[in-house]
Amino acid sequence: MKLTDLGVIKDLFTRHGFSFTKSLGQNFLINPSICPKIAEMGGCDREICSLEIGTGIGVLTKELAIRSKKTVAIEIDRGLEPILAETLAEISNVEVIFADFMEIDLKKLFEEKFKDEEVVVCANLPYYITSPVIMRILEEKLPVKSLTVMVQKEAAERICAKVGTRECGALTVAVNYYSDPKKLFNVTRGSFAPAPNVDSSVIRLDIAKEKKYDVKDEKLFFRVIKSAFSQRRKQMINPLSAELALSKPTLSGIAENSGIKASARAEELSMEDFVQLCNGIYDHFND
Ligand code: SAM
């Protein structure tokens, strides 16, 4: 069954009484070249397991499963259950779990489904949960080798921007803290049904096995980044002073001791600058 064929999709929908739910980001891939590319460039391998978020009718799920040792897929919409039962019927190494990815106990899921296995995550993400999904996987420090996701083109550019440039934001720094992001390829809006109003890109985050940066307090680090980028075109000392309840002269002193100009904007700092600054703030509070 060719799951990228519009006739096949319409027939499945009619027979199972299914219709798209826009609010769940249901734009299904109909360009046949994309899913095999995501599975291959996402590092699927018969020795490795894969996890998918958002199956739709199973078009990517199928490509992941035929290239992986085992595939677990999470889908929020139970209305897709009879369709998936049909489209994945001949694939034995796949399991679909109907749940909200944002609510699921990921540690338990990994323990139960992937114990001691290497895992890659691949997904064509609903745009409204792109950042929370990415951050959830990174922050929970799961045994995930890489995360390959389709996101809005603008989000891909932001995530893969170089830290210390105008395009960089809080998400860029957070992603770089845990991984090495890389843009893989662009996908036009016509590759989906229904077609969204924006183009997309597939990115891959190669997750570091060891801690990349020597940050003394991660919670403080993420608080500082969020605050520093909240007024990205202004001197970051202003929002930081309010967020941390530290006077501007005290913060200027900490910044300068860390080798950063007190007048700097968040988008001018490198990863190392952020680390030094946060460790300086940590020392100030703890000395
Ligand atoms: N993988 C399919 C494809 O490429 O055609 C579907 C991709 S579609 C952009 C996103 C899918 O994610 C939809 O099937 C939607 O129902 C599902 N979804 C939306 N929010 C979700 C959530 N919180 N947890 C799990 N799945 C979700």
Side-chain angles (χ1 to χ4, degrees):
M1 198 187 301
K2 202 161 173 260
L3 297 181
T4 48
D5 184 312
L6 268 177
V8 169
I9 298 174
K10 277 188 189 143
D11 174 57
L12 279 168
F13 281 22
T14 309
R15 282 191 293 106
H16 296 288
F18 182 84
S19 49
F20 290 110
T21 304
K22 207 176 164 202
S23 62
L24 290 177
Q26 289 182 343
N27 302 96
F28 296 168
L29 272 164
I30 52 164
N31 178 337
S33 70
I34 307 295
C35 292
K37 231 164 135 180
I38 295 179
E40 274 156 28
M41 296 178 91
C44 287
D45 182 304
R46 297 300 289 177
E47 306 290 306
I48 294 181
C49 295
S50 54
L51 172 70
E52 186 192 11
I53 303 145
T55 59
I57 62 168
V59 64
L60 175 59
T61 325
K62 220 170 170 174
E63 300 297 335
L64 297 176
I66 58 178
R67 292 172 178 80
S68 306
K69 190 169 178 181
K70 170 186 178 180
T71 299
V72 174
I74 300 168
E75 170 57 54
I76 197 169
D77 189 351
R78 273 213 173 259
L80 287 163
E81 196 169 1
I83 294 185
L84 289 162
E86 184 177 331
T87 58
L88 303 176
E90 279 157 28
I91 301 175
S92 58
N93 62 336
V94 64
E95 181 179 352
V96 181
I97 297 170
F98 290 93
D100 180 344
F101 178 79
M102 294 313 292
E103 302 285 325
I104 206 161
D105 182 338
L106 279 181
K107 292 229 158 64
K108 196 165 151 226
L109 178 95
F110 270 72
E111 184 63 28
E112 284 175 7
K113 308 291 179 195
F114 299 127
K115 202 172 177 16
D116 300 328
E117 298 280 359
E118 217 172 3
V119 180
V120 293
V121 179
C122 295
N124 171 13
L125 282 184
Y127 296 139
Y128 70 105
I129 50 167
T130 299
S131 311
V133 165
I134 293 177
M135 286 317 293
R136 204 168 169 220
I137 290 170
L138 295 176
E139 279 171 354
E140 291 213 18
K141 303 189 167 79
L142 301 159
V144 171
K145 195 174 171 220
S146 64
L147 172 59
T148 302
V149 282
M150 170 106 65
V151 299
Q152 270 187 24
K153 207 170 166 195
E154 289 69 28
E157 269 146 28
R158 173 62 55 95
I159 292 168
C160 299
K162 203 169 166 332
V163 177
T165 64
R166 263 179 90 83
E167 293 71 35
C168 154
L171 184 60
T172 322
V173 178
V175 162
N176 273 276
Y177 178 73
Y178 294 109
S179 70
D180 294 316
K182 189 176 167 193
K183 185 164 152 181
L184 297 181
F185 57 92
N186 293 329
V187 181
T188 56
R189 59 194 80 185
S191 300
F192 302 87
N197 297 326
V198 289
D199 291 320
S200 302
S201 301
V202 177
I203 60 171
R204 191 180 67 218
L205 313 183
D206 291 319
I207 302 174
K209 279 205 170 87
E210 309 288 335
K211 213 172 160 194
K212 282 177 76 184
Y213 298 99
D214 195 11
V215 164
K216 291 183 182 174
D217 182 339
E218 281 188 1
K219 232 172 136 182
L220 176 69
F221 182 73
F222 287 105
R223 211 173 129 203
V224 165
I225 291 165
K226 203 170 158 203
S227 167
F229 280 99
S230 65
Q231 298 172 29
R232 43 185 299 116
R233 307 276 180 240
K234 296 200 178 135
Q235 295 184 4
M236 66 174 180
I237 215 148
N238 297 321
L240 275 183
S241 161
E243 170 67 26
L244 301 167
L246 281 176
S247 71
K248 287 183 193 168
T250 305
L251 258 178
S252 298
I254 297 173
E256 274 158 11
N257 278 342
S258 312
I260 300 159
K261 275 194 306 196
S263 60
R265 286 172 287 139
E267 60 190 33
E268 295 172 330
L269 265 61
S270 66
M271 283 303 289
E272 287 71 22
D273 289 335
F274 277 113
V275 174
Q276 291 303 321
L277 177 68
C278 287
N279 286 347
I281 295 170
Y282 176 87
D283 290 342
H284 173 82
F285 284 128
N286 290 281
D287 278 350

